[in-house]
Amino acid sequence: MSICHLLNLRHPIIQGGMAGISDAGLAAAVSEAGGLGTIAAGNFTPDIVVAQVRKARKLTDKPFAVNIMMLSPYAEDVISAVIDERVPVIISGAGAPSGLASRCKEKGIKYLAVVPSVAIARRMEKSGADAVIAEGMEAGGHIGKITTMCLVPQVADAVSVPVVAAGGIADGRGMAAAFMLGAQGVQIGTRFLAAKECPIHQNYKDKVLKAKDIDTEVTGSITGHPVRALRNKLTALFLAAEKEELGKDEPDVKRVEAVGAGALRKAVVDGDTEYGTLMAGQIAGLVRIEQTCEEIIKEIAGQYSELLK
Ligand code: TUI
């Protein structure tokens, strides 16, 4: 079954759930434009997420998703709350929950899992996921170890549910390439950072718009949760702390983690581009102008269908 049919979409384009960023306004704008908008639960409490879900319902009657970040201390409670709300689609990320698919199925909710490897893709298919989103390490935020180019065809060969490609895709060329690799849809985050409806601080948006191809850095590998973000004073501090700790017999991982505490909020809300975490993918260099979600989706879908001709 195609992703459009499965999720009732006009375009097989999913807006990536970006922790602390993608709210009801962004999600509804993407859904209204025919893609699948996604509210990111991130580290929010269930009441905040439920308020966003209700807001999205007021803004659109089209399907939208809630992305649950499994590293959140509230993940379990958020899952129960959004299942009770009967959201159209749930997407898990940063972890592989085992019983979620059957709970979703009972309520008629579609469930997609973001996966960073073939083994986890297989596990999520077995657990009952309706589709998997194979996310390569070109992506922004918390990433796996393998590139989209290598991950997508290997996942496509390993599972029989539809595969959505993520990481490094921002235009119709990337979308066409993903389909050639066996994907039936794409998940796009970084390009939507520059959407008019994206609620990040303008300083953050401007950094994305000005970013060049090699302007991202991966920090936090020592913590087991590597994160890709635009290079700034914070990433330099992070990398220096990691290097120091790695040289010790007993590395102090907590000290490295402390460098990033509260830094996403600093970027998103305060617009601190030096000490905030400016999460973005390697494709940021391709994102040049601020556009509405409708313009972004129309442009990508148009380029894609031209290329297929
Ligand atoms: O989750 C993401 N991207 C994110 S989450 C996030 S918030 C955050 N901030 C600081 C540190 C960590 C997170 C920002 N960006 N993408 C999807 C993704 N899922 N990437 C990696 C995974 C993943 C990893 C392990 C999915 C499943 C998995 O399973 C492990 C297991 O065996 O349970």
Side-chain angles (χ1 to χ4, degrees):
M1 194 195 288
S2 80
I3 283 286
C4 286
H5 192 241
L6 178 73
L7 303 175
N8 195 18
L9 310 174
R10 200 144 29 94
H11 303 292
I13 299 174
I14 300 175
Q15 167 244 319
M18 297 173 281
I21 295 174
S22 357
D23 63 359
L26 179 64
V30 170
S31 292
E32 278 295 293
L36 184 73
T38 304
I39 295 167
N43 279 315
F44 291 142
T45 53
D47 54 323
I48 294 177
V49 180
V50 166
Q52 288 295 311
V53 166
R54 291 181 182 166
K55 191 171 169 196
R57 284 221 155 97
K58 286 203 180 112
L59 297 170
T60 184
D61 57 4
K62 306 216 162 43
F64 62 90
V66 175
N67 177 297
I68 316 230
M69 209 275 285
M70 297 309 298
L71 292 171
S72 164
Y74 305 109
E76 263 314 310
D77 294 337
V78 169
I79 287 172
S80 299
V82 298
I83 288 178
D84 283 349
E85 287 290 313
R86 288 187 157 72
V87 295
V89 182
I90 290 179
I91 300 175
S92 65
S98 56
L100 183 49
S102 49
R103 287 171 71 190
C104 287
K105 215 149 274 173
E106 272 169 30
K107 298 280 160 76
I109 297 169
K110 299 296 175 210
Y111 169 56
L112 281 64
V114 180
V115 299
S117 69
V118 167
I120 295 175
R122 281 213 176 97
R123 200 186 333 144
M124 297 321 287
E125 176 183 44
K126 224 182 227 168
S127 86
D130 293 295
V132 293
I133 302 173
E135 187 180 280
M137 49 94 78
E138 299 94 320
H142 175 40
I143 52 170
K145 292 188 163 101
I146 172 171
T147 61
T148 304
M149 179 79 115
C150 298
L151 180 64
V152 171
Q154 294 188 66
V155 169
D157 282 351
V159 300
S160 42
V161 291
V163 176
V164 174
I169 302 164
D171 67 7
R173 292 172 298 179
M175 181 165 163
F179 276 65
M180 293 301 114
L181 296 173
Q184 298 186 30
V186 291
Q187 178 181 272
I188 294 177
T190 301
R191 179 132 183 215
F192 287 111
L193 281 175
K196 290 215 165 99
E197 297 90 344
C198 182
I200 57 173
H201 195 286
Q202 193 62 40
N203 294 351
Y204 186 168
K205 221 174 255 189
D206 289 343
K207 283 283 178 191
V208 173
L209 294 171
K210 285 194 191 115
K212 296 192 294 295
D213 54 352
I214 53 171
D215 282 349
T216 70
E217 206 79 79
V218 179
T219 62
S221 298
I222 190 180
T223 69
H225 301 122
V227 166
R228 183 183 300 285
L230 297 179
R231 185 182 303 109
N232 62 3
K233 292 218 163 98
L234 182 79
T235 59
L237 279 179
F238 232 119
L239 292 173
E242 280 180 61
K243 200 170 164 196
E244 235 178 81
E245 292 303 328
L246 278 170
K248 295 179 182 168
D249 288 340
E250 282 180 43
D252 184 355
V253 174
K254 286 222 153 47
R255 182 199 151 210
V256 178
E257 273 169 350
V259 176
L264 183 58
R265 196 188 151 82
K266 267 190 209 161
V268 174
V269 181
D270 308 337
D272 182 347
T273 57
E274 293 195 331
Y275 295 98
T277 305
L278 303 166
M279 290 188 193
Q282 290 185 323
I283 205 69
L286 208 69
V287 181
R288 283 279 152 267
I289 49 168
E290 200 173 339
Q291 289 170 302
T292 64
C293 291
E294 192 185 1
E295 287 166 344
I296 292 171
I297 287 180
K298 270 201 179 138
E299 195 176 293
I300 296 173
Q303 277 176 341
Y304 168 75
S305 50
E306 274 304 306
L307 282 169
L308 283 207
K309 283 182 200 158

